[in-house]
Amino acid sequence: MGSFSIWHWLIVLLIVALVFGTKKLRNIGSDLGGAVKGFKEGMKEAETPAQAEQQEPAAAAPLQNTAAKPQGETIDVQAREKAD
C-alpha cells in the first residue's frame, strides 16, 4: 500500500488535465517560469549595488547628507482610530 505506481500518477495527471484543461495548465507553467525568471533577475540586481558599495565606499561618503535620514529607515508612528 506504500507508494503509487506509474499508472496511478498517469490517471491523476489525466484527471487534472480534464479538470483544468491544457490551456490553463500551460498558462500556469508560463506564469511560474516568468516568476522564477523575475526572481533571479531581482537577486542579481540586489547583489550588484552591494558589490559597488564594497568597491567604492570612500566615493559614496561625500554624497550623503548627514542632516537627512538615510533612505530605507522606517519611522515608527502611533495609529489612531478614525472617528465616524
Side-chain angles (χ1 to χ4, degrees):
M1 185 172 180
S3 65
F4 293 107
S5 69
I6 188 71
W7 294 108
H8 290 104
W9 290 115
L10 289 174
I11 291 170
V12 169
L13 181 63
L14 178 67
I15 292 171
V16 168
L18 288 173
V19 170
F20 293 109
T22 56
K23 186 175 181 181
K24 285 186 181 180
L25 291 175
R26 187 176 6 175
N27 289 341
I28 290 171
S30 64
D31 290 343
L32 182 63
V36 170
K37 183 178 179 181
F39 178 75
K40 287 181 180 180
E41 289 175 359
M43 292 300 291
K44 286 180 184 177
E45 290 176 3
E47 291 175 358
T48 306
Q51 292 172 354
E53 288 178 10
Q54 290 175 355
Q55 293 174 357
E56 300 177 18
L63 299 176
Q64 294 178 351
N65 186 358
T66 56
K69 290 189 176 188
Q71 290 181 345
E73 185 177 322
T74 59
I75 300 173
D76 292 330
V77 295
Q78 186 177 15
R80 299 182 199 160
E81 291 186 23
K82 185 177 179 181
D84 290 324

